[in-house]
Amino acid sequence: MTDPNTQPHPTPETIRRRVTLVLGTEFVLLMSVAALEGFWPGAGPGSGAAVAFLFACMIVVPTAMALLSRPLMREVRQLASENARLRELYGRARQDSLLDGLTGLGNHRAFQEELVRQLEHATREESILALLLIDVDGLKRVNDERGHASGDQLLAAVGRTVLAPLRRNDRAFRVGGDEFAIILPGADIDTGLTVARRMLAGALNGGDPTRPTEPFSLSIGVSAFPAPSTKGSLLYRHADAALYWCKRHGRTSVAAYDPGRHGIASDDRSIEDLSAAIGTILEERLLRPVYQPIFSLETGRPVGYESLIRLADGAPLPDASTLFAAAERAGRTVELDMACLEVVAEGAGALDTDVYLSVNLSPRTLESELFHPTELTTIFERRGITPEQLVVELTEREEVQDLDVLRRNAAACRKVGIRLAADDVGAGNAGLRLLSEVHFDIVKIDLSLVQGGVLHDPEYAVLGALKELAARWHASIVAEGVETSEQLAAVRSIGITAGQGYLLGRPTRDRRVRPIDIEALLPENWEEPEETSAA
């Protein structure tokens, strides 16, 4: 479609001047011919008649020209009026095509155009630019439980909330169903984080104070150009990686892009190339299992092993975290999970009867039609591991899409004897959300709580509260990330009886781990903090 606003449009006055010029030129030529005819020697009837003829032409010709041009000028004015109306309609249509009708913010097309424009300006002027990508947590549940009208009301409230902390030259967009984007010209990563935190605080307080709603939750990823996103082409990808990390680690949070944590986002390869890299890893059997022991904090004996995946030298991806992130982008999570189960089972060997083996699965796998507990048990029974010795750790690498199917498959696992463990409990809402929806046999406390609990009484109290909660659900509890003697003493002091971490034992290919002396690992002068329980 050609933009009429980009073409030159002569005004009626311009056209009138042009018509007058043409008619005037013709008049002058005609009068010149008449003068030659009348005054050139021997060329006409005489000077008197010539003069009379000239006077007649001077009166009749302009009058005739004016009369003849009047209908033309009327049509010109009508044409100009219609042209102006079409330009106005086009402008309105283009404006409407760039707006989201529900929130009044820019839409996906407007976002793409503005992001390109702002990046070009920032590159040319050597200025800075921050980008926020926002997901509305729980919109699907609102739509399912309350109807789409309630979901629309929530989205409208989000639109008002994200506008509140913005400056005049900042731009807000709704780029998808529950996705929003904010462009902050002249802002660095710290400014972006500040704005994002204000948005999250506003959401948790019910949005716009003039039109309050029920509190709602947002997950926000932030990046900025030229730091940490050194190229404009990476800005969106980096912010998206930070957003994904928020969603994986509990949502209701804000995260800035961290190259160490979100390395896959800096990979310039296309999804097709990443998928090909995953295919190479699977076809060439470049997955390697390692096993981290889980010890009884009372006896020091190993009670289980968590299986983890490493990549062999020469793999086309740098590490396992990048591999799983690439699989999510390429839609190959289920395939990768199933391949990892085969590798883990093959490397584990037979277990002592009182020792279990835990395997990590994404919710996407438990929601898949390709997953069935009998297939899982068959993989491990061929290697001498019974269903009762198997624990499935449910991780939130990806958001749960079909909770009913996940519940059904989780129940089917427990029915055949496989136990379930909730992973990363205490990392924001991660684990806690699933903990309220699925029956778990083991609760694994996130390492951030374990590592912070010794130094901060509130976190120490949370550890105690989670321990009490697990006891009421008749679930055992495992402390992850035990790396210091003080952390070991802290989790023992509130009655947590199992743990794993580098202090106790590192992941290794060798599963033959000897018991450890727990008492020898405790600090000499340990004093239990005052807040020992949340009860």
Side-chain angles (χ1 to χ4, degrees), residues 437-490:
E437 301 287 354
V438 179
H439 185 169
F440 288 99
D441 305 283
I442 299 173
V443 174
K444 302 192 75 173
I445 295 179
D446 181 73
L447 59 85
S448 62
L449 274 179
V450 174
Q451 294 172 353
V454 178
L455 302 177
H456 306 286
D457 285 348
E459 282 86 349
Y460 188 88
V462 171
L463 287 175
L466 288 174
K467 186 258 180 182
E468 296 295 332
L469 187 63
R472 287 199 294 271
W473 289 335
H474 306 289
S476 59
I477 193 164
V478 176
E480 297 181 291
V482 179
E483 296 183 355
T484 68
S485 297
E486 289 76 16
Q487 292 164 2
L488 174 62

Side-chain angles (χ1 to χ4, degrees), residues 54 99 159 184 191 249 343 437-438 464 512 523 528:
L54 287 175
L99 288 179
L184 305 177
T191 302
H249 291 79
V343 171
E437 301 287 354
V438 179
R512 293 168 295 181
E528 183 177 314

Side-chain angles (χ1 to χ4, degrees), residues 383-403:
R383 279 83 174 186
I385 299 174
T386 67
E388 291 74 20
Q389 292 177 295
L390 197 59
V391 173
V392 170
E393 290 192 22
L394 194 56
T395 64
E396 287 196 277
R397 288 201 300 261
E398 293 178 338
E399 186 176 1
V400 175
Q401 293 186 346
D402 195 330
L403 187 57

Side-chain angles (χ1 to χ4, degrees), residues 366-377:
L366 258 70
E367 294 170 335
S368 170
E369 295 179 356
L370 300 177
F371 177 83
H372 195 276
T374 56
E375 182 178 0
L376 183 60
T377 57

